[in-house]
Amino acid sequence: MSGIKNIKPGQVAFVTQSYRGDLEECRLLCESIDRFAPEEMRHYIFVNDEDYRLFRDAGFSSRHEIRRKGEVLPWWLVRFPWKVLGHKWHVGVFSLPVREWIVQQLCKLGAFDVLGDEIEAIVHLDSEVVMTRPFSLDDIYDRESGRFVLYRRVFEDEPCHRQYCEVAKGLLGVDAPVDVIAENCYMAQATVFVRENVERLLARIAKRSPFGSWKLRLCNTYRFSEFYLYGIFTEYALAMNNHKVIDHRLFPVVHVAGFDSADALGRRVRELTADGSLPGVWVQKSTKNISGGKKVSIDDVRRIVAELPGWGEPK
């Protein structure tokens, strides 16, 4: 397994896919990055083109650069202005209608194409992630081997897991049987993409695609996971090139819907962050309802985080 030696913080960037509905969650993430992450590590926030001005004018510090998803998407893909069947769609003459979830994944895979050549690795962070203690390059990078962490854990529970594995095998042409591939899960916050691996991954998909376009192939794939594609390709085609395996999520998920009050949620966050071994949490608010039909707000989450030891200390 090879690695990239002597990586500096300025060669690693945070990337977040966001939208107007997660603006305040993204604001808290940005505040936590400003408090806890090395200043050299820039943060790129990709948003729908119509949300660009909203995020640009949101008052984030200068290290948080707002980028349009349209910079990454193919020119022939146009965002449809209305929801259909509960989803926002992009449409184009060369592909099936593309759901917003697929657009986000295209932007994660294509981010290196629009960021500077000095960026060697990207740390993908969801808007709902928040750092709770100082973040170091050492959290994601082994200096001795030059390898970045890659989350891989024996599969327990992940929606569409089997389909993600089957689709990855078909797109990538890896030799391993689906039953072997499906033994593991690769879905985590944070997930690190290394430029070399992504370029080889996209070249493999393009080689097996009409007109040699990885974007066209993925736009015509109804369901896939960018993290599964990356993890499976890195493991089965690249023999873990540039990576070493970890079996724990750096930002463990806390599902808001699993708690009956904001106080109960707060106790769980404190438990996960108490020993300082993990850099933060992912407060998943895909549904904002908690037990009893109550609501937990971003203000509740902000209060919980602000009460953690170290949050109020100067950087």
Side-chain angles (χ1 to χ4, degrees):
M1 293 183 289
S2 63
I4 308 174
K5 295 294 184 70
N6 303 316
I7 285 286
K8 303 294 190 298
Q11 295 174 280
V12 182
F14 299 111
V15 167
T16 297
Q17 309 293 322
S18 196
Y19 77 113
R20 63 177 56 236
D22 272 354
L23 175 61
E24 292 308 314
E25 285 79 4
C26 193
R27 191 187 303 278
L28 182 57
L29 167 63
C30 292
E31 184 178 345
S32 73
I33 288 175
D34 288 339
R35 286 176 179 270
F36 294 127
E39 294 180 1
E40 302 93 329
M41 295 181 68
R42 292 193 59 77
H43 182 206
Y44 298 92
I45 305 170
F46 286 83
V47 299
N48 295 324
D49 291 19
E50 67 269 23
D51 291 343
Y52 175 77
R53 288 189 177 182
L54 175 66
F55 276 75
R56 184 197 62 185
D57 298 337
F60 302 136
S61 71
S62 59
R63 78 185 298 177
H64 309 284
E65 185 173 330
I66 312 304
R67 307 295 292 262
R68 295 178 174 89
K69 292 180 182 178
E71 296 179 60
V72 180
L73 299 177
W75 61 268
W76 43 263
L77 203 60
V78 179
R79 184 170 167 83
F80 194 69
W82 301 287
K83 281 188 176 182
V84 178
L85 300 177
H87 294 285
K88 287 290 185 73
W89 303 83
H90 283 67
V91 296
V93 294
F94 301 113
S95 74
L96 299 170
V98 180
R99 290 170 296 149
E100 190 71 31
W101 177 244
I102 299 299
V103 165
Q104 288 190 25
Q105 297 183 71
L106 293 171
C107 289
K108 291 177 188 177
L109 290 166
F112 282 113
D113 288 345
V114 298
L115 302 184
D117 292 339
E118 72 278 5
I119 303 299
E120 292 291 345
I122 284 172
V123 183
H124 289 288
L125 293 177
D126 190 88
S127 295
E128 297 169 340
V129 163
V130 58
M131 293 182 181
T132 57
R133 58 96 162 141
F135 181 92
S136 166
L137 191 57
D138 294 336
D139 286 314
I140 57 170
Y141 178 69
D142 182 80
R143 297 177 187 273
E144 183 175 348
S145 66
R147 288 181 279 144
F148 289 88
V149 298
L150 176 67
Y151 174 80
R152 186 197 69 191
R153 188 170 183 172
V154 174
F155 172 68
E156 295 173 353
D157 181 39
E158 184 68 46
C160 305
H161 166 81
R162 180 80 183 192
Q163 187 173 6
Y164 290 155
C165 295
E166 291 173 345
V167 170
K169 177 175 170 60
L171 288 170
L172 302 171
V174 297
D175 292 333
V178 170
D179 286 343
V180 172
I181 295 173
E183 291 175 358
N184 293 312
C185 174
Y186 301 88
M187 193 77 72
Q189 296 288 329
T191 295
V192 181
F193 283 4
V194 174
R195 178 186 290 273
E196 177 189 2
N197 291 32
V198 169
E199 289 176 348
R200 294 173 69 177
L201 164 66
L202 299 181
R204 172 72 67 90
I205 296 175
K207 186 176 180 179
R208 302 166 58 86
S209 304
F211 308 107
S213 170
W214 67 267
K215 293 178 183 179
L216 181 60
R217 181 65 184 274
L218 292 182
C219 283
N220 282 286
T221 303
Y222 180 74
R223 178 174 285 120
F224 67 91
S225 162
E226 76 285 28
F227 293 160
Y228 273 72
L229 283 176
Y230 186 85
I232 289 168
F233 184 72
T234 296
E235 180 168 6
Y236 291 99
L238 301 183
M240 283 298 171
N241 182 58
N242 293 320
H243 282 284
K244 68 172 188 176
V245 171
I246 60 172
D247 64 358
H248 62 279
R249 293 181 171 94
L250 294 176
F251 295 86
V253 61
V254 182
H255 292 284
V256 167
F259 299 88
D260 60 6
S261 68
D263 288 341
L265 175 66
R267 286 193 293 272
R268 180 55 179 158
V269 171
R270 288 191 293 274
E271 288 173 3
L272 289 170
T273 59
D275 65 2
S277 62
L278 299 173
V281 292
W282 179 23
V283 185
Q284 175 58 260
K285 300 179 294 300
S286 57
T287 172
K288 291 184 169 61
N289 287 326
I290 58 178
S291 300
K294 299 178 182 178
K295 299 281 187 179
V296 60
S297 70
I298 184 59
D299 291 332
D300 292 321
V301 177
R302 182 178 291 278
R303 173 182 59 79
I304 289 166
V305 171
E307 292 173 352
L308 296 174
W311 180 264
E313 297 176 2
K315 186 174 177 181

